Amino acid sequence: MTAPTSPPQEVELKLLFPARSRQAVEQHPALREGLVSGVRHQHLLTTYYDTPALALYEKGLTLRVREAGGQYIQTLKSDAAGGGLAASRNEWSWPVTTDRPDTTVLARTPAAVFGPTLTERLVPVLVSDIRRSVHPVAYGGAMIEAAVDDGVVRAAGREVPVQELELELKDGPVLQVYRLALRLLADLPLRIGVETKAGRGYRLLRGGAPDAVAEPAVALTPQISTEHAFRLIVRSQLVVLTGSQPAAEAGEVDGIHDMRVSIRKLRTVLRLFAPCLAAPVLERFEEALQQLGQVLGAARDWDVFCLETVVSVFGDGDPAYFQPLVAAAAEKRSAAHRALRVELDGPAPTMLALELMAWVEGTPVVTGGGDVPPRLCDFAPEQLGRFARKVARRGRGIGNLSPNGLHSLRKALKRLRYSADYFTAFYPARHVRPYLKLGRHMQSALGEINDAAVAATLAESLAIGHPALAPLCADIVEWSHKRRKKALRKLPGLWKDFHKAAEFWR
């Protein structure tokens, strides 16, 4: 069996640029000053193989043969493994003699599950045709390969253009990849890219918008340091934040929702670890996350109003009766989506993600006096207790809380839930499950109250702009008030049960 010619893992950051900016990217001082050898120019013609039913793709695998200068390299890659913004993927490569894959070398890879019949089933499914210039750069004590790609991906008789800069870490700390990206971003119109060339080709094959990205599992253990745990959690949320952006830009409901949730979780993580983080930096990230969350929130609110609220209120009625309301709400939704696309197309989201990751990969934890950061098992109970006490304060006199008071309680409870989820594996399930179940019931009731308030507010705003819709909007407001009252009646009992539940971390 031929041995793989490359290490089993790659770490790279992908940045997209408009076609007009290629020369500026190539000539940027950060790439020219750090150049350690000559720029290599390549023409890469890459054919991707799969079964007609796309079985490899369904298993999270891509198999390709790349031709460059008369040489053929076969590569198998697996899905990203969640290394922050810089994708970390398992990779195996072998030299081959033709543009057809050699499946005999796959025996010790995940593709082995397909057995010896894979060879007969493989067909070419897509091609990438790329002109690449490779800049080996020394930057901040790291060796980084900056590859500038320009070309197309073709599949199913269609093609999509490719203009991207890939920063691949060859040696040294991954922190320097983010620092180099930030230096480039200061002068160039760059955006984080998350779709691989194969991913774009498969999307051409399958049709539809980009998929939202699932949150990677975070493997925390009681004995790891607080600083290491903080890095792992933030990395996982940045995978969702950046990975869901293409879907959000395309107006996909799940993409918008997942980006919004990832921002909430990032803000929660910053508050959870706040006792050992630098306060001025923390405040800057909190402000930037909040601003992006507000734009996402506006789009999400109109999504829910159009796709859920209107259906719940008028679903059994005559469509002709409420069609004018549907049209007016759709206009508001479109405007919110346009505002979101403008925000995501600007530099702020990329700057936020890169700066946050650079900070996290640096020294985010302030230890004071050189103390070693506490173990997570020592840190977690104290911080969960701090969040629980805040929930208890917010919930006092729950039957008489104002709308703002209920909203504050909901946010505090959500932060406690998000935080607790990271540490449940540290404690016996018989203690964890009852507490989280009661918390979910509380959160559900508070969520209904909040959703009802948002629906009423949006309906009232429609009535102001479209007086003829006032009767229809009044129907939604009435429905929302009934929904709110029903949830309010359940709240005191739910709060009593939750408030007396044993805290599993004690």
Side-chain angles (χ1 to χ4, degrees), residues 149-338:
D149 287 353
D150 192 355
V152 296
V153 173
R154 302 186 184 96
R158 293 174 291 171
E159 66 179 39
V160 60
V162 174
Q163 285 92 31
E164 62 190 28
L165 167 65
E166 290 184 357
L167 303 179
E168 182 175 352
L169 181 67
K170 293 299 185 180
D171 186 48
V174 69
L175 165 65
Q176 299 307 325
V177 172
Y178 300 113
R179 287 183 172 171
L180 175 56
L182 284 166
R183 184 176 173 192
L184 295 167
L185 182 62
D187 303 315
L188 299 167
L190 302 175
R191 300 177 55 205
I192 291 171
V194 294
E195 270 196 303
T196 63
K197 297 177 183 69
R200 297 180 204 188
Y202 274 108
R203 187 152 57 83
L204 287 177
L205 286 170
R206 296 163 55 239
D211 294 327
V213 175
E215 181 177 338
V218 181
L220 300 179
T221 61
Q223 301 304 319
I224 69 171
S225 73
T226 299
E227 184 170 10
H228 185 39
F230 178 67
R231 284 196 179 100
L232 290 175
I233 296 173
V234 173
R235 287 172 186 166
S236 72
Q237 292 308 322
L238 283 172
V239 166
V240 181
L241 181 67
T242 59
S244 298
Q245 182 169 331
E249 288 179 303
E252 291 294 298
V253 173
D254 288 344
I256 293 170
H257 176 65
D258 289 352
M259 277 196 79
R260 190 185 185 198
V261 170
S262 70
I263 285 178
R264 287 174 172 172
K265 290 187 174 182
L266 280 167
R267 294 179 66 189
T268 294
V269 170
L270 294 180
R271 294 189 183 201
L272 177 67
F273 289 87
C276 56
L277 301 174
V281 178
L282 197 63
E283 292 167 2
R284 180 163 61 88
F285 286 127
E286 168 73 18
E287 182 179 350
L289 287 166
Q290 184 178 32
Q291 179 177 334
L292 179 55
Q294 287 172 346
V295 184
L296 285 159
R300 173 63 180 170
D301 287 345
W302 281 109
D303 283 347
V304 173
F305 187 88
C306 291
L307 302 178
E308 298 178 19
T309 302
V310 172
V311 174
S312 297
V313 177
F314 302 111
D316 296 331
D318 180 2
Y321 170 67
F322 59 89
Q323 186 56 42
L325 174 69
V326 171
E331 288 182 7
K332 291 284 190 178
R333 184 187 179 206
S334 295
H337 280 220
R338 286 194 299 272

Side-chain angles (χ1 to χ4, degrees), residues 359-425:
W359 176 59
V360 167
E361 294 296 335
T363 53
V365 171
V366 177
T367 57
D371 295 335
V372 176
R375 297 177 305 168
L376 192 60
C377 60
D378 299 325
F379 181 82
E382 182 178 345
Q383 303 313 313
L384 291 176
R386 176 168 65 91
F387 276 23
R389 289 191 294 273
K390 183 167 290 188
V391 170
R393 289 196 299 271
R394 296 281 191 272
R396 287 174 186 163
I398 194 167
N400 299 311
L401 288 179
S402 66
N404 286 339
L406 290 171
H407 185 56
S408 295
L409 172 60
R410 174 175 168 268
K411 292 192 295 183
L413 180 61
K414 188 168 289 188
R415 285 192 289 268
L416 175 59
R417 282 280 323 285
Y418 286 154
S419 301
D421 284 344
Y422 291 116
F423 309 123
T424 54

Side-chain angles (χ1 to χ4, degrees), residues 25-69:
V25 173
E26 298 263 19
Q27 296 180 354
H28 193 277
L31 301 187
R32 297 176 68 87
E33 294 168 5
L35 199 64
V36 296
S37 61
V39 178
R40 304 193 310 275
H41 298 279
Q42 302 171 313
H43 179 206
L44 306 177
L45 189 63
T46 307
T47 305
Y48 291 81
Y49 290 84
D50 208 327
T51 70
L54 307 182
L56 290 174
Y57 173 82
E58 293 299 328
K59 287 286 187 181
L61 301 172
T62 57
L63 179 63
R64 74 186 191 199
V65 177
R66 171 170 290 170
E67 188 272 327

Side-chain angles (χ1 to χ4, degrees), residues 437-491:
K437 182 178 180 181
L438 292 170
R440 282 193 296 271
H441 290 164
M442 269 292 299
Q443 197 170 324
S444 176
L446 289 167
E448 286 194 26
I449 293 168
N450 181 75
D451 291 348
V454 171
T457 299
L458 296 183
E460 289 167 352
S461 72
L462 280 177
I464 292 172
H466 303 79
L469 299 179
L472 292 166
C473 294
D475 289 342
I476 293 179
V477 171
E478 182 182 0
W479 174 86
S480 299
H481 287 166
K482 288 179 179 178
R483 184 184 182 193
R484 184 176 185 274
K485 287 180 180 179
K486 182 178 179 181
L488 281 171
R489 285 195 297 269
K490 297 187 295 185
L491 205 54

Side-chain angles (χ1 to χ4, degrees), residues 17-156:
F17 58 85
R20 67 179 185 277
S21 299
R22 169 156 189 166
Q23 185 176 3
V25 173
E26 298 263 19
Q27 296 180 354
H28 193 277
L31 301 187
R32 297 176 68 87
E33 294 168 5
L35 199 64
V36 296
S37 61
V39 178
R40 304 193 310 275
H41 298 279
Q42 302 171 313
H43 179 206
L44 306 177
L45 189 63
T46 307
T47 305
Y48 291 81
Y49 290 84
D50 208 327
T51 70
L54 307 182
L56 290 174
Y57 173 82
E58 293 299 328
K59 287 286 187 181
L61 301 172
T62 57
L63 179 63
R64 74 186 191 199
V65 177
R66 171 170 290 170
E67 188 272 327
Q71 302 294 314
Y72 296 93
I73 296 291
Q74 172 180 312
T75 301
L76 178 74
K77 292 187 180 184
S78 70
D79 275 340
L85 301 185
S88 176
R89 294 178 290 166
N90 291 322
E91 175 185 311
W92 300 262
S93 294
W94 306 264
V96 289
T97 57
T98 71
D99 63 355
R100 281 289 302 179
D102 177 4
T103 59
T104 64
V105 300
L106 302 178
R108 296 183 181 178
T109 72
V113 298
F114 294 101
T117 63
L118 180 62
T119 301
E120 292 76 24
R121 298 161 59 197
L122 288 177
V123 294
V125 292
L126 61 106
V127 173
S128 70
D129 189 349
I130 302 295
R131 298 285 178 176
R132 169 175 290 181
S133 60
V134 181
H135 306 247
V137 175
Y139 193 85
M143 283 300 305
I144 300 169
E145 187 174 270
V148 183
D149 287 353
D150 192 355
V152 296
V153 173
R154 302 186 184 96

